Amino acid sequence: MFRHQKELQFEVKVDRPDPMLARQVQEVLGGQFGEMTVMMQYLFQGFNCRGEEKYKDMLMDIGTEEIGHVEMLCSLISQLLDGASPEDQAEAAKDPATAAIMGGINPQHLLVSGLGGLPTNSNGVPWNGSYIVASGNLLADMRSNLHAESQGRLQVARLYHMTKDEGVRATFRKMLARDRYHQYQWMAAISELEEKNGVVVPASFPPEAEMESQSEAYEFWNLSEGEESSDGPWATGSAPDGTGEFVYVAKPVPKGQIPNPKIPGAELHHDLDGKAVLK
Amino acid sequence: MFRHQKELQFEVKVDRPDPMLARQVQEVLGGQFGEMTVMMQYLFQGFNCRGEEKYKDMLMDIGTEEIGHVEMLCSLISQLLDGASPEDQAEAAKDPATAAIMGGINPQHLLVSGLGGLPTNSNGVPWNGSYIVASGNLLADMRSNLHAESQGRLQVARLYHMTKDEGVRATFRKMLARDRYHQYQWMAAISELEEKNGVVVPASFPPEAEMESQSEAYEFWNLSEGEESSDGPWATGSAPDGTGEFVYVAKPVPKGQIPNPKIPGAELHHDLDGKAVLK
Amino acid sequence: MFRHQKELQFEVKVDRPDPMLARQVQEVLGGQFGEMTVMMQYLFQGFNCRGEEKYKDMLMDIGTEEIGHVEMLCSLISQLLDGASPEDQAEAAKDPATAAIMGGINPQHLLVSGLGGLPTNSNGVPWNGSYIVASGNLLADMRSNLHAESQGRLQVARLYHMTKDEGVRATFRKMLARDRYHQYQWMAAISELEEKNGVVVPASFPPEAEMESQSEAYEFWNLSEGEESSDGPWATGSAPDGTGEFVYVAKPVPKGQIPNPKIPGAELHHDLDGKAVLK
Amino acid sequence: MFRHQKELQFEVKVDRPDPMLARQVQEVLGGQFGEMTVMMQYLFQGFNCRGEEKYKDMLMDIGTEEIGHVEMLCSLISQLLDGASPEDQAEAAKDPATAAIMGGINPQHLLVSGLGGLPTNSNGVPWNGSYIVASGNLLADMRSNLHAESQGRLQVARLYHMTKDEGVRATFRKMLARDRYHQYQWMAAISELEEKNGVVVPASFPPEAEMESQSEAYEFWNLSEGEESSDGPWATGSAPDGTGEFVYVAKPVPKGQIPNPKIPGAELHHDLDGKAVLK
Amino acid sequence: MFRHQKELQFEVKVDRPDPMLARQVQEVLGGQFGEMTVMMQYLFQGFNCRGEEKYKDMLMDIGTEEIGHVEMLCSLISQLLDGASPEDQAEAAKDPATAAIMGGINPQHLLVSGLGGLPTNSNGVPWNGSYIVASGNLLADMRSNLHAESQGRLQVARLYHMTKDEGVRATFRKMLARDRYHQYQWMAAISELEEKNGVVVPASFPPEAEMESQSEAYEFWNLSEGEESSDGPWATGSAPDGTGEFVYVAKPVPKGQIPNPKIPGAELHHDLDGKAVLK
Amino acid sequence: MFRHQKELQFEVKVDRPDPMLARQVQEVLGGQFGEMTVMMQYLFQGFNCRGEEKYKDMLMDIGTEEIGHVEMLCSLISQLLDGASPEDQAEAAKDPATAAIMGGINPQHLLVSGLGGLPTNSNGVPWNGSYIVASGNLLADMRSNLHAESQGRLQVARLYHMTKDEGVRATFRKMLARDRYHQYQWMAAISELEEKNGVVVPASFPPEAEMESQSEAYEFWNLSEGEESSDGPWATGSAPDGTGEFVYVAKPVPKGQIPNPKIPGAELHHDLDGKAVLK
């Protein structure tokens, strides 16, 4: 069960409205790697977590924090949209430069939300559940979390340069700091899990010959012209878990025969022989 | 530019048809973490890659390999669907156990593809472009790649137990091996990049006070009841890059005031005062 | 079966082209609450209607009217796009103010529809079937209809202020009037149904103790800090149907224990114990 | 900012696993009218709320409650999936009746979530942001909320009959009770707002002649054969707000001329005259 | 403007309910090539049509017919679902064979539509606007129409074999006949347009050297191993419009250099040099 | 299996960056009829092809070519985005005309892809699998291919006029030429198949009376007011395959009775009689 506190996690106060920035900020609210994504991903991972309590608790801590980040971004967007009503727009349209900024407004910020945040990305595509994953395998999911926080911080860093508004930047500084911490957090958890189980997901599918084909587990296949890709730790040396040595296959050849599919029954109407053969 | 060779990368030969398994295998063809995803993700990362040639070459090598994996899975699914024409279905329906299996068939395998693979997941949801990312930041993207291969291998491992068909399992063994190698590959590349740039994405957004808020970059906020989450390397000790010490905030308090949104103009029709005030 | 008449329900005649407005008008054609939505929603409700003929007839009357509204909006958009061909655009780009307006054009109005209406919202997101509902329960569905007409009229009212074009406004005036009438229509139908069946949907799931938990059916749970929410007819007094008295639970406590999920079988590869235990 | 408490709002404890029911329950978790929808809808309405504090507080109370409902349903689904691992499935497949039930399992409950809840509906379609609305107009939004709770309770009532499991039914009884209360809640709030502002949304777009076309605001257009629809309070009598009298137009005629669209420029390549006329 | 007539275009009367067939029939109602698609496609093409009146009239004739097809399929599905209420299901579950059929039911036919048609395909994926096109170029669009009717009739033909119900088959026979006629119709229209304008879309983009690169307009590039593809009218002989001769390029070589992308500015945080270079 | 060659199929070299054009070009990369669509459509048709080898080979040739077109467009877009970093944007914003162009930038080209191509259309809607079809019926699919190449060339032709950049136009000239050839290719293949099997899809569903209703297979139904549609080869004369004569039905009447749906069981809660009748 959850409870809500009226204050925001951090201060959110913009210096002046900027509807074009409001549209851009939607990316980190309702985009592929926005706050809605990490919120829902951590909550679902926490809700579904089976096993050691400390991981479930940690997931619930951070998932709950992220609901508050969605709240902060809605507040940020609302403030950026103040003064973007049609009446103000009409006024602004008299000045070409301002008109350009207004032309970049997301029309749904006026028509659909009436100057509030939307559950969509910066192009208005609705957030959807396939942005998230909760697989039950902790290591797999924490790698997903680390990647989400990496993409998320990258996007906030890019946004940072798209405004000179000190109020907005102050909020971004907090978000950048939290995204930094959250990267650390998942790295630390990943290290712990890798030490326990090994680095390959899933650990419980062992590389014994009868279960996994070992001959292909250490080969780099050079399928794009040129051998620049041979110059890296993925091409030579030992696997990270020391179970084998990498092989750079410079000239790979296929190992499977040409498939020979069967002609389907007449009721599927492939028309392969140009005859009607139905009963 | 690309070229196609008629042979498959590995042998794909099922022992007997199984339309229900065909439906399940769609998950690793056209699902969130299926072969279409890694194929398109690596190709877009490769196409868009700017900077050192060896990374671009590596991305193109593996992206090109994955096109061949989509090809293999289409062949696998086609073979699993042989004998699933309506006529055969009608026959099968006489036996309750077989009818149950047939009842689990994806209707689109008959109606839409005529016994071929579909660009959808195991529930028939079409693959879509928001499954992938190519951000231009190599470390962020390779973390995404490592997570995708982790989820992908996990799903194939689970599928492995859903059939006793030795032909199908032989194909899965190859896929498991390649997914193992690809996890190694991204781990190795990630290590190299982390050594060069540091572990936080993006590295070029420096943790100096005026650009990022340092006070919040090392704190764990305990927002879910209970302190089990204090028992982990994310709660105490140094950050992985040694730039600071973690702080476990057992009783966090909000730092932002209650937001106070402005009343919008009448043309937005919020009806807040129940009066028509339009000009 | 349907028939089409060449004339439009109302006159649609714009004074001058305006591609940016064309983009905005797409919201009320192909958006969440646009004319495509009410058209398809009323038609599906009518097609699927079981029971009293007069409701089915009414749904078919209004569903058929809405097909004509889609037709009117396509005509409106086509007229707003006249003169937005690339050649005209190039000309316009010489003037900054006009360029700004042109910059706001939906690129698909040129590339995809060749100056015609699109089955998408104002951000180009395609209309989809999950915008509508036809549940078989008339009261539930008419509440949905009332809400759709409320949102729809709100959006047209907002659009009204985004143009000074008297031709366009004349069309909006008709739409506003019809949306007013349609709100009345659903209110009237809802009143009739509520009198017959009661106000709770579904009526046929009775509030007897063994079927529904009565203790929770009248409680407001105060889960957000502060008690401002106690000041309203939802917090005190009788339920609208007089079956009970509201209780404001100022300090709610959870009633369920901490869930204790089982450890799943090894074939699901949760890796909880770091051991491979497969057979 | 939010906080999480380890207990559930209500007890959730199933008597026995049932993977087919788990699939069906997904509808009320991640479907169009599931708990994710009301949770996100109320939270966004609350986050974006401008105006009287008591409405914002109420929205936050109920939005916060709904996060806990998502949590409860994830717990319910996890329990229903216990014992549905591939190994158990293989065992079950020996019995035709059980095989039938197993054949109805959602394959993603095994492959993707490893026996946990998914952010999707009962057919596996991911939840998406276009299920919700937060328009800024309180009356419009509360009508949306009433409709969502009506559809939601209807679906839970239908689910109730799809199981005999007393544990599951006990949870449904609580959900039915809360959905009853939430219908009351929105009805009460709607009444209050209608008294203040009038019943038509938006109230601030007044029915004065120059702003809205009055002649069409009270007419029922009989566009479907037959006049059964004349028998209802929408066809005769006064409008709910007494501003006019309804008129049943039994034989409606169009009021708009046949539109006459312009021929577009050659650069749009409509090929209307079969000539290339490009510069 | 449209009008509705109570009768159906053709008789729709099933012999007995069959919920699994109801699920399958959804494909031709709300799938990629279902009746919703042709209905919306022809209506949008008609609404947006500029130029000769006879094409617009023809599009409106057939678009209007297709609304009636959606109506017929909703009626068909409703009848197939009679007797599939939860109570009947429970009864049926006692018999394994029937249970298998019931297990194949679309859960939304119970929970969401209450035994009515849904705006979705056979896997429950909602219909969406990107299934259709109305480009303004008549020849391009009529080719789309011919393809849609071809796929549509193929799917109905496949469905025909999935039931022995004579009532259902009688409806399918009518649909097959109309889909046959509609294929003829588009072929005839296409022939007329090709005679007028030539066979390449768009005709108004002429193959003169300065506008289109002629050297590549007649070459087949053999990019897949093997030369079986040389055996066809696309590889040798004249182009259909006699403007050139086909060339089979057995060993194609790329004509473009290796692209050399620029290093982006530091504010995009590609981290290419591992240094923070922000101002 | 596939291989990649470093060179591009054709030279791609823009004269100067243009972020607004980059956004527009996304339509032919990741839109409904973009290169991702033809690439995936031909590959799936090739992978799933059963029957004569020469068709499979041809499909693989062209599918493989189209992967290279996706590559070319990514290179084009990357070049168009050079110089669109936030820093440059800030500079540009000082000039109103440039600001207008910058205002038209796709925000995801900065935030998400860091100046690279995206798997989306010109409005940012992600590419999805329902854009393509591989039905197993060659004639149906090749008609789909012809239509896709027609729409695709139309869009490139329109794009051609939206830029004066000679480098970009040179690339478009190559694409126009290939789209011309590909239209020829499918026409030629279609002719060959029509000669073999007849012109109606599927050929194997014969027009004999007991399988298809012949009376409706040649009738044009005039359901839109006016008889302009009688003036065309679809209204009079013989069917293209000479199997019958067209009939123009000027005043069509419905042939089906008014459907009479059954009242559903009480467990579906339609509330038709306002009574609770549950057991």
Side-chain angles (χ1 to χ4, degrees), chain F residues 71-93:
Chain F
E71 185 182 31
M72 287 196 298
L73 284 177
C74 280
S75 175
L76 183 70
I77 288 172
S78 288
Q79 294 178 38
L80 288 172
L81 289 169
D82 280 335
S85 71
E87 203 67 20
D88 297 309
Q89 297 260 331
E91 192 55 36

Side-chain angles (χ1 to χ4, degrees), chain B residues 20 23-25 27 31-33 96-97 100 103-104 121-125 131 151 154-156 158-159 161-162 164 221-228 251-255 258-259 261-264 266 268-279, chain D residues 1-7 23 47-53 56 86-87 89-90 93 96 99-100 102-108 110-115 118 120 123-126 135-139 193 196-197 200-206 208 211:
Chain B
M20 202 187 284
R23 180 186 172 202
Q24 293 158 338
V25 172
E27 191 66 35
Q32 200 181 355
F33 302 110
N121 71 10
S122 63
N123 276 324
V125 177
Y131 291 169
Q151 300 285 356
L154 176 63
Q155 293 184 356
V156 177
R158 287 169 174 172
L159 267 178
H161 307 290
M162 293 164 84
K164 298 292 184 202
W221 284 46
N222 176 41
L223 288 163
S224 175
E225 191 185 29
E227 301 192 10
E228 292 89 342
K251 296 193 190 317
V253 290
K255 303 183 178 181
I258 300 180
K262 287 196 194 139
I263 302 301
L268 284 163
H269 300 287
H270 280 222
D271 287 351
L272 293 174
D273 55 1
K275 295 278 181 233
V277 289
L278 293 168
K279 296 151 215 179
Chain D
M1 202 175 78
F2 294 79
R3 292 182 194 274
H4 177 250
Q5 206 162 344
K6 284 288 178 335
E7 291 80 17
R23 180 187 172 200
F47 293 156
N48 292 346
C49 192
R50 297 164 185 248
E52 264 189 84
E53 179 63 23
K56 186 182 182 90
E87 204 67 18
Q89 296 260 332
M102 291 301 180
I105 200 175
N106 177 341
Q108 294 192 315
L110 295 174
L111 296 172
V112 176
S113 72
L115 307 187
L118 289 160
T120 67
N123 275 324
V125 177
S135 72
N137 183 292
L138 278 176
L139 181 51
L193 288 168
K196 233 191 285 184
N197 288 346
V200 176
V201 170
S204 49
F205 203 98
E208 280 117 37
M211 294 287 279

Side-chain angles (χ1 to χ4, degrees), chain A residues 1-7 23 49-51 56 86 96 99-100 103 105-108 110-114 123-126 135-138 196-197 200-206 211, chain C residues 20 23-24 27 32 96-97 100 104 121-123 125 155 158-159 161-162 221-226 228 252-254 261-264 266 269-279:
Chain A
M1 203 175 79
F2 294 79
R3 292 182 194 273
H4 177 250
Q5 205 162 344
K6 285 288 179 333
E7 291 81 18
R23 179 186 172 202
C49 191
R50 298 165 185 250
K56 187 183 181 88
I105 200 177
N106 178 341
Q108 295 191 315
L110 295 173
L111 296 172
V112 177
S113 72
N123 276 323
V125 177
S135 73
N137 183 292
L138 278 175
K196 235 190 285 183
N197 288 347
V200 176
V201 170
S204 49
F205 203 98
M211 294 289 280
Chain C
M20 201 187 285
R23 180 186 172 201
Q24 293 158 338
E27 191 65 35
Q32 198 180 356
N121 70 10
S122 62
N123 275 324
V125 177
Q155 293 184 356
R158 286 168 174 174
L159 266 178
H161 307 291
M162 294 164 84
W221 284 44
N222 177 41
L223 288 164
S224 176
E225 190 185 29
E228 292 89 342
V253 290
K262 289 197 193 135
I263 303 300
H269 299 288
H270 280 222
D271 287 350
L272 293 174
D273 56 2
K275 294 276 181 236
V277 289
L278 293 169
K279 296 151 218 178

Side-chain angles (χ1 to χ4, degrees), chain C residues 23-164:
Chain C
R23 180 186 172 201
Q24 293 158 338
V25 172
Q26 284 285 156
E27 191 65 35
V28 293
L29 169 55
Q32 198 180 356
F33 302 111
E35 300 290 350
M36 286 179 73
T37 292
V38 283
M39 161 191 163
M40 295 307 289
Q41 176 148 322
Y42 301 155
L43 289 179
F44 267 84
Q45 288 180 10
F47 293 157
N48 292 347
C49 192
R50 297 165 186 248
E52 264 188 83
E53 179 63 23
K54 73 175 187 177
Y55 296 117
K56 187 182 181 89
D57 186 36
M58 178 182 70
L59 289 162
M60 293 311 305
D61 284 322
I62 181 171
T64 306
E65 180 180 351
E66 302 288 6
I67 316 175
H69 289 197
V70 173
E71 185 182 31
M72 286 195 299
L73 284 177
C74 281
S75 176
L76 183 70
I77 289 172
S78 288
Q79 294 178 37
L80 288 171
L81 289 169
D82 279 334
S85 70
E87 204 67 18
D88 297 310
Q89 297 260 331
E91 192 56 34
K94 293 171 189 165
D95 172 52
T98 319
I101 290 168
M102 290 301 178
I105 200 176
N106 178 342
Q108 294 192 315
H109 274 153
L110 295 173
L111 295 172
V112 176
S113 71
L115 308 187
L118 288 160
T120 67
N121 70 10
S122 62
N123 275 324
V125 177
W127 187 90
N128 83 76
S130 70
Y131 291 168
I132 72 170
V133 68
S135 72
N137 183 292
L138 278 176
L139 181 52
D141 286 358
M142 288 182 181
R143 283 176 177 172
S144 177
N145 301 350
L146 175 57
H147 121 83
E149 297 283 350
S150 302
Q151 301 284 355
R153 190 171 184 270
L154 176 63
Q155 293 184 356
V156 176
R158 286 168 174 174
L159 266 178
Y160 187 89
H161 307 291
M162 294 164 84
T163 182
K164 298 291 186 204

